[in-house]
Structures are given as C-alpha cells and as structure tokens.
Amino acid sequence: MSKFTRYAALLAGAFAIAMFGAVAPAAAQDNKMRVMVDWSPHGMHAGLHLAKQKGWFQEAGLDVEVLDGKGSTATIQQAGAGQIDVGFAQLAAMAVARSNGVPLTSVACFVRAGDNGVMVPKGAGYKTMKDLEGKRVAYAAASTTGPFMDAFLKASGTSRDKMTLVNVDAASLVNIYTSGNVDAVSSTVAFFLPIVEATRPSEGILWADVGLRLPGYGLIVQQKAVGERAAMLQKFVPVVNRAWSYIFDGHVDEAVDAILKQRPNEKLDPKVLKAQIQLYMPLFATPATKGKPMGWQAEEDWASALKAMEDAGVIKPGSKPADYYTNQFIKG
C-alpha cells in the first residue's frame, strides 16, 4: 500500500464519519458564522480573537463564534461536513483532503512561507538534518505533517535509515523532547519553540530552508460557499486580514491580551503566546507574495507545494493550484 493510499484511507474514513454524522448544517443566515480553529488557544489564533475582542466582526455586520478545535484534520472534517462555516487550519492538510475529494478551498493563507521543521537543542551543533544522522528524532506519523517526513529528509540529503525516527502521538511530542529521550523533534517550529524554551531552549531547522515549503495556517471553506456565501466571506476575510495587519503594526501585546480575555478559563502563558506570534510573523510572506495584501495566495507557491506533496505521495498527481485556493475575498 502506497503512502498516499494509507494516508488517504485514514482521511477518507474520518471525513466519511464527519459527512454522514453531521447533526446540523452551518448557520443559514448570512450574518451568523461558526469558525473553528485547529487546536486549543495559541498565538496563531490572535487575529480571530483580536477581531472579536475589538468588535470588528460586529461592525461588519457579522455574528461570529470562534470555536476551539482538536487538530487541523478534525477542523477540516468539520468544514467538509458543513458543520462550521470557516475552518482555521493547516492548508497542506486541507490540500490532502481536497485531493481526496473533499470539496474545500482556501480563501486566505497567513503562514505562506510554511512553519514546519525540526527542533534541536541550542548549542548542540545541529545545523542540518545530516547532523542528526545516528540520533533519535521524534515525530507524529499520524499528524498533518507526518507524511512529509521522508520528503524532508530526502531534500536534506539524508534518509530515515540513517537515524532513529521515534513515532509518537502528537500530544506526546513536547514531553518526549523536554525529557531528553530524543535529540530532536519534528513539529511546527513557531508553535513549539516557545513552549519548550523554559525546559530545553531550542532552535529550528525549517523545511522551507531545503525547498519543502508547504502552506501553513489559513482560512478554509466548502467550495460551494465561495458562491453561495460570498457576501458573508466578503465581509469576514477582510476583517481577519485587518486584525493581522493591526498586529503587525505594533500591537502584538494587544493581540495577546485579546486571546487571554476571550479564553479566561484556559491556563495560558502570555509570554508563550507573544513569542509564538512573533515567531510566526516572519513566515507570513514569501518572495512570490512580497508586496501583496495580507492573506493573498500566489499560484507559484501553491504549484511548488503541490509538487512537493505529489512527490511525497500524499496527494494524487495532476493537481492544479486553482483547485485549492481563491483570492476572491482579498482586498487591495
């Protein structure tokens, strides 16, 4: 069974459950929206929480509910099933679902340079993946990034038979790394580094540094929503873009405060949230999106990402960038 077949089968089963197990459709009114993020609160949710806290959605005539998620794949399932109006998730995972027949598309991409990588301890002398040959590297094979591990290693000039890959549940990545049981860990760098800073100060080796640039966080909707709920999206997407532009204009602390106020019952560390936002910000642009509005997606970037995903065997050959995204709702 090929890597694509295994991964697609897992997704197909999950999406089938979501599609046929839907208990309620997304809100029918154009002003009501259910938006689900990928996980429990972290820095990349700042744009949504800030817009909510500032009342910008309400100003645009929208009644927006921001829901926490249980992983990008779960959020994508909900979007594909029509149980939410908009998903905030990893677009590489959305692309796999789209290739597998789930009718989704991206209406904005924020982490356009990609955020995947491998964390290594500071001062350990690990600068490339070849430096980790003979070492233990933890990763989550069932995560949204797990299927790309071999492609990353190949692009780095090495392979899994030259190191020990330790497959664990995604929720266990922090513990196995901070305990020192592995030498490195594969995850999303900007999310992971601030969490482990206090116990095992680290730095990242980005996948993008070896040419494997996959789209990171963005907004996804059912393809039919691009037409059927265009009026809603024409209001919603610019508000989220406005929030992120405001953050970039020197309002990171205000964004952190918005997350804390929107999620008062969570045990959130403001220092971690701020560091996550600051680490993600340099990943918002690529050479192809330089000078373009917040959230705007380049065909060149999508073409490169789709080729990488085809080479990794996680999407079917022959994909066209236009099947995966639209800039219809990006102003400017």
Side-chain angles (χ1 to χ4, degrees), residues 169-194:
D169 180 83
S172 302
L173 288 173
V174 170
N175 287 337
I176 193 172
Y177 180 68
T178 55
S179 68
N181 288 329
V182 295
D183 301 287
V185 61
S186 177
S187 184
T188 47
V189 174
F191 168 82
F192 200 92
L193 288 184

Side-chain angles (χ1 to χ4, degrees), residues 11 21 31 36 38 65 72 119 166 171 175 186 197 201 214 216 228 245 268 271 284 296 316 318 325 328 331:
L11 281 172
N31 70 317
M36 180 176 283
D38 65 311
E65 180 183 11
S72 277
M119 271 56 63
V166 182
N175 287 337
S186 177
E197 179 62 27
L214 303 179
E228 293 179 0
S245 295
L268 301 174
K271 292 181 179 179
F284 271 53
W296 189 88
K316 300 173 183 177
Y325 80 98
Q328 178 177 333
K331 294 182 178 180

Side-chain angles (χ1 to χ4, degrees), residues 208-327:
D209 291 342
V210 293
L212 190 62
R213 180 181 289 131
L214 303 179
Y217 285 108
L219 302 174
I220 62 173
V221 299
Q222 285 188 324
Q223 286 184 310
K224 65 180 182 180
V226 172
E228 293 179 0
R229 305 206 71 190
M232 175 197 75
L233 294 170
Q234 202 71 60
K235 298 174 182 178
F236 175 77
V237 176
V239 170
V240 182
N241 288 347
R242 173 188 178 184
W244 274 112
S245 295
Y246 183 80
I247 293 169
F248 270 74
D249 286 340
H251 300 282
V252 172
D253 288 332
E254 192 172 345
V256 171
D257 187 58
I259 300 175
L260 296 174
K261 288 180 177 178
Q262 289 289 305
R263 293 294 184 269
N265 296 325
E266 299 285 341
K267 297 179 180 179
L268 301 174
D269 186 337
K271 292 181 179 179
V272 169
L273 294 174
K274 182 174 182 177
Q276 287 174 335
I277 295 171
Q278 291 174 325
L279 286 172
Y280 268 114
M281 288 168 70
L283 305 177
F284 271 53
T286 69
T289 63
K290 186 178 181 179
K292 297 295 184 180
M294 186 73 66
W296 189 88
Q297 302 170 81
E299 181 175 0
E300 176 183 337
D301 289 340
W302 267 106
S304 174
L306 293 174
K307 183 180 185 305
M309 285 188 269
E310 287 182 6
D311 291 345
V314 297
I315 66 170
K316 300 173 183 177
S319 292
K320 298 178 181 178
D323 293 336
Y324 293 84
Y325 80 98
T326 178
N327 286 321

